[in-house]
Structures are given as structure tokens and as C-alpha cells.
Amino acid sequence: MQDNRMLEDIAARLDAKTIHEVRRIARQVGAHSESSQKSSIIDAILGVAGNTMKPHLPSKRGAPPKSEDADLKIVADVRLCRQYYIALESGDDISKFSVNDSGANFAKSVNFETLKRIYPDKLLTLKGDISCRVINMFAPVMLGQRAFISGSANTGKTFILKSIAKSVYNNYCNILPVILIVDARPEEISDFKRDVCTAEYFCTSFDMPPANHINAVLRATEFCKREIEKGKNVMLFTDGLFGGYIPEETLKKLLYFACNTEEGVSLTIISTIDSDSAQYSNFIKTATAQITLSSELSRARVFPAIDVKNCFVDMEEKILAPQEFAQVNAIREQVDSREIINLFKTTQTNSEVLEKHKNG
């Protein structure tokens, strides 16, 4: 089994270390042993890695250690292995964890909480279906956004979410896509995995108890933070969060973590939300971007059912060039949403859309 191999690999490398090196590793990962024997200390480290022992803060008693230097690769692998076992414990669907994929950067990582937050300033150009083109013009996606895809039931929120995720996955290899889907139909999860096959997944289906849904959110949150601490740009796509199972405090904490930073890393969160839900008014005000879907358009079978007049992005005037910003606003004011969608369907590029509108 993969889980046994992970522990066996760590155990073999620890066994090759001196007792002093093993002690330093134990100190880094919070492994505590009552015995000073090397074998007992290794057992404690494996207990932390396998999630059978809780990490302890280093003791302040006695003489300080002569050196804090440790094998950072093993430290990283112990922590990653522990993540794997925590994920297994919940019984949720989990992505692959490979102890050989982790690196020393995990142990050297900065603290997420100390990152200096700034406004989003890196624009993404989505490539894909018409919905991507509409979003590029009326609700541009930027790294560090806290964006909602809002609308009533059956307006295509999950479809839009998947379109964005698929575009990011296919065109931005420097962004790690993370998919969090809770309380979902299993076929929806399978469909996502077909289109965005190598993302990190945290999923629960509708037959699972509320505790599983909450656990998936907590694990996804911590996973994203750890990846950012390793220097990655992460984009979290979430569906089903606002069904009433997740405590409001947990949801607010997750959304709070969306950020662009001076250090050059970011966490972008794009989430679906039902505009008819009781939680809508509490959370939509936290958004820095909103892609609004129209039930009127969806009933008329006009897809993507994006209501361009009610989409927004914070500081849009700084994102788009002045002339483009003026043209986009003119289209919003002068043209019906259904006509705008049809305009995209009869053109190949957004420049053509602007040109057609300009020439009437």
C-alpha cells in the first residue's frame, strides 16, 4: 500500500542518520519520546508522520540544542505524510500524495499569516468557450481575487466554474488549481476530474454526513496555505459551500485567505453561490469580483447565462485600458444582455465585439 511505503521510506532514511541528526528532525516535527534511544525517537517521528501521535512544541527545559540544523527533506516528507493520513482519516475523496514529490522548501516555508497583502494586480486571460471571453471583458479574473459566480438554481454556475478552471489548467502551468466540491452529485465530481485531471481535489458527495463536508473545507484551506508558503500561486475553485452544512465562521475564514501579496504569491478563490440562499447577502459583500448569472436567460435557453450588466470587478478602471473601459461600460448601458451574448456567438474575438458595437 502507498501509505505503508511512505512510512517505510521515511523510516529507512531516519535509520541511516546519527542519533543527533534524528533528534534534530524530531525537534523540527514536534515528535516527543520518553526514551533517549534512537529507535524510540524514530518511532515518535513515524507516529507524527502517520498521524497516530500529536506534534508537541519543543521543550524549553534543559540546555538548548547545539544545532537546529536538520534534514529538511525528511522534515518536509514527515509533514506531507501526516497530511496524507489526516486526509485518509476523514474518509473523503482525496488526491494523490507522493512523499517523493515534496521538497525542502516545505520545511523552510514562510508563514502564510506574515505575507503582506496587496490589491490584485496580475490579470489572467481566459481561453476556451464563449463564457471565458465574456468573463474576460465584463468580469476579468485576477490573481488574488475573491470572486463569486452567483445565480439561482439551474443557471449554469458549476458549468462556468469548470470553464474557468479548465482554462487556467490548460493555459497557466504556474498556477496550481485546487478543486473543493462539497455535498455534490458524484457525476459532477467525475465530470470535473475529466476536464481538470491533475488538480488537487477535496470532494464530498451528498450521501456523506456534515462532518465530512466541514473536514473537506478545512483540509483544502490548510493545503492551499501550505502550497502558498512553498512559493506557489494557487487558485481554489469551490462548489456547494453555501448549502448550509458549513459553519459561517469556517466559510468566512476560508474566504478571508484569498490574497495577492508583495512576496509574489497569491491565493485566488472562485466560488459558486446561490443568490436565493439565506447566506447570500452575508457573503457577497466580501467579493472583489462577481460573475452574475440570469435566470431569465437560462429559462430562455441562452447560455452562457451571464448577466453582464450586473457583473463587476473591484477597480475595473485600473485593469482595463481607458478606451476599452469606456467601450465596455457603453455596451453594458446600451445593449441587452441577450444581445451581448449573441454578439459573442457571432464573433471570434473580443476585439470584434468592441468593433461591432462601435460601428453599430
Side-chain angles (χ1 to χ4, degrees):
M1 291 175 64
Q2 179 189 6
D3 47 355
N4 288 335
R5 288 200 302 271
M6 293 164 73
L7 287 173
E8 287 168 4
D9 176 69
I10 292 171
R13 286 184 287 153
L14 287 170
D15 197 49
K17 298 288 182 184
T18 68
I19 187 168
H20 302 293
E21 291 171 322
V22 170
R23 281 176 180 160
R24 289 197 288 268
I25 292 168
R27 192 172 175 83
Q28 288 282 348
V29 301
H32 174 71
S33 170
E34 296 294 338
S35 170
S36 59
Q37 296 292 318
K38 178 181 171 182
S39 59
S40 297
I41 300 171
I42 290 176
D43 286 343
I45 294 171
L46 295 177
V48 170
N51 193 35
T52 59
M53 289 179 64
K54 223 175 166 183
H56 290 73
L57 292 173
S59 173
K60 300 294 183 183
R61 293 182 296 176
K66 292 180 180 177
S67 172
E68 291 285 2
D69 291 339
D71 187 321
L72 296 177
K73 181 68 169 72
I74 294 181
V75 170
D77 289 347
V78 168
R79 292 176 176 170
L80 191 67
C81 188
R82 182 175 178 80
Q83 282 187 352
Y84 174 83
Y85 274 88
I86 289 171
L88 275 184
E89 192 177 67
S90 73
D92 292 345
D93 176 27
I94 62 170
S95 299
K96 293 179 291 184
F97 282 76
S98 172
V99 78
N100 296 319
D101 288 341
S102 63
N105 286 339
F106 190 83
K108 288 181 172 178
S109 62
V110 299
N111 189 324
F112 181 87
E113 310 298 339
T114 66
L115 295 170
K116 296 180 180 67
R117 294 169 174 245
I118 58 176
Y119 285 107
D121 60 1
K122 299 179 186 70
L123 181 65
L124 300 185
T125 300
L126 302 180
K127 298 176 182 178
D129 55 26
I130 290 175
S131 60
C132 290
R133 289 178 53 205
V134 176
I135 292 166
N136 284 340
M137 184 175 290
F138 294 102
V141 174
M142 302 188 73
L143 293 185
Q145 277 180 336
R146 187 181 303 105
F148 284 107
I149 302 169
S150 67
S152 301
N154 302 317
T155 50
K157 296 186 291 295
T158 301
F159 176 84
I160 299 293
L161 183 74
K162 191 172 67 171
S163 291
I164 300 172
K166 187 176 178 180
S167 177
V168 170
Y169 167 72
N170 286 333
N171 299 290
Y172 290 94
C173 60
N174 62 325
I175 298 174
L176 173 65
V178 179
I179 315 297
L180 170 60
I181 306 175
V182 299
D183 192 30
R185 292 176 290 186
E187 55 270 23
E188 289 177 334
I189 297 171
S190 298
D191 194 43
F192 236 109
K193 288 182 176 180
R194 273 192 292 269
D195 285 339
V196 192
C197 55
T198 59
E200 293 291 338
Y201 279 86
F202 298 86
C203 305
T204 61
S205 52
F206 62 78
D207 62 316
M208 292 181 176
N212 288 56
H213 306 321
I214 296 168
N215 190 273
V217 174
L218 294 175
R219 289 190 296 106
T221 301
E222 290 306 311
F223 177 84
C224 290
K225 288 165 67 178
R226 299 295 82 80
E227 291 300 307
I228 286 166
E229 289 174 339
K230 287 192 277 184
K232 296 181 182 178
N233 286 302
V234 179
M235 190 168 281
L236 175 63
F237 299 91
T238 80
D239 197 21
L241 283 190
F242 299 93
Y245 289 115
I246 314 300
E248 191 167 303
E249 182 182 336
T250 302
L251 289 171
K252 283 185 176 177
K253 196 166 287 187
L254 170 64
L255 295 170
Y256 167 79
F257 289 134
C259 63
N260 187 34
T261 69
E262 283 185 2
E263 290 81 359
V265 293
S266 62
L267 172 57
T268 309
I269 299 178
I270 302 181
S271 178
T272 62
I273 186 169
D274 194 323
S275 55
D276 297 325
S277 73
Q279 295 173 308
Y280 177 79
S281 58
N282 288 340
F283 286 97
I284 200 66
K285 60 189 177 187
T286 69
T288 57
Q290 183 174 354
I291 300 165
T292 307
L293 304 186
S294 163
S295 54
E296 182 182 339
L297 290 177
S298 66
R299 282 194 299 269
R301 316 312 293 168
V302 176
F303 293 104
I306 299 175
D307 180 2
V308 298
K309 293 180 181 295
N310 288 303
C311 293
F312 84 90
V313 173
D314 273 2
M315 298 188 294
E316 187 179 29
E317 68 280 2
K318 294 183 179 180
I319 299 170
L320 302 176
Q323 186 177 358
E324 185 181 4
F325 176 67
Q327 278 188 277
V328 168
N329 271 341
I331 293 175
R332 273 200 186 105
E333 292 171 7
Q334 298 167 12
V335 185
D336 176 80
S337 286
R338 187 182 304 201
E339 291 178 47
I340 294 173
I341 299 301
N342 288 333
L343 194 56
F344 276 91
K345 289 179 178 179
T346 57
T347 55
Q348 296 298 313
T349 67
N350 285 11
S351 298
E352 284 184 66
V353 171
L354 295 174
E355 193 64 30
K356 271 198 169 188
H357 175 259
K358 183 180 177 181
N359 296 329

